Amino acid sequence: MDLDGSEQDPEVKEYSPVCVGREDDIKKSKRMTAVVHDREVVIFYHKGEYHAMDIRCYHSGGPLHLGEIEEFDGRPCIVCPWHKYKITLATGEGLYQSINPRDPSAKPEWCSKGVKQRIHTVTVDNGNIYVTLSKEPFKCDSDFYATGDFKVIQSSF
Ligand code: FES
């Protein structure tokens, strides 16, 4: 319920920005986790840019907040600590290397599986970090682990 006593549209509320912390803190820690409208996200600060995504890996629910950031094909990626899948920070694409089996001399090339991890919007206002959940209507693989029984990260990670 709003301050004026009226009910807020649940959809509007779900996509309103949520303050998750201070800019000074994430610049030191380089990453933070937060719950935004019942959805767990990880926020990275990498090379002067902020990136937010679902915290659990689209492949099998691995804890992306514990992964390392590496560059592949010039694109910063979070490498999932469970099975080493590579996910671009900017777009949530799954990257993989492929080679043409009919051309034994060919070098492996980086390819995209498409967007697999849902990316959310980060904004900064007056030193505060805000995350706004993605409203993109497509079905993203990471949605499976961001909802239902899987949505809570277990403390054993
Ligand atoms: S759970 Fe992330 S790569 Fe398998």
Side-chain angles (χ1 to χ4, degrees):
M1 187 176 293
D2 286 345
L3 292 176
D4 65 1
S6 62
E7 290 290 332
Q8 191 173 14
D9 181 339
E11 184 170 338
V12 171
K13 189 175 180 185
E14 187 177 347
Y15 296 111
S16 59
V18 170
C19 183
V20 296
R22 294 284 301 164
E23 196 175 16
D24 293 345
D25 294 331
I26 194 172
K27 282 185 173 175
K28 284 184 205 145
S29 63
K30 306 294 186 206
R31 60 184 66 186
M32 64 171 58
T33 62
V35 177
V36 177
H37 298 304
D38 210 26
R39 190 171 188 120
E40 282 193 288
V41 299
V42 56
I43 304 103
F44 297 106
Y45 178 72
H46 181 72
K47 293 190 173 177
E49 294 185 353
Y50 296 99
H51 305 278
M53 61 177 59
D54 287 341
I55 198 168
R56 299 193 66 136
C57 175
Y58 73 89
H59 173 228
S60 198
L64 294 181
H65 60 299
L66 301 180
E68 297 292 328
I69 294 175
E70 296 181 40
E71 287 208 4
F72 299 95
D73 205 24
R75 306 174 75 183
C77 295
I78 184 72
V79 180
C80 179
W82 280 7
H83 312 105
K84 307 302 180 193
Y85 277 30
K86 292 125 181 82
I87 302 167
T88 62
L89 293 182
T91 62
E93 289 170 77
L95 298 188
Y96 67 100
Q97 278 191 303
S98 91
I99 194 164
N100 182 351
R102 295 189 179 137
D103 182 1
S105 66
K107 290 183 179 172
E109 291 184 2
W110 285 102
C111 301
S112 173
K113 302 175 191 174
V115 176
K116 297 292 188 177
Q117 196 75 19
R118 191 172 288 278
I119 298 294
H120 308 288
T121 303
V122 181
T123 51
V124 181
D125 183 33
N126 201 25
N128 293 313
I129 305 283
Y130 293 85
V131 172
T132 305
L133 294 180
S134 161
K135 277 178 94 167
E136 294 295 323
F138 73 99
K139 179 85 177 104
C140 193
D141 287 5
S142 67
D143 292 344
F144 180 76
Y145 296 103
T147 57
D149 293 343
F150 292 98
K151 70 181 179 183
V152 177
I153 288 283
Q154 302 298 314
S155 58
S156 58
F157 289 138

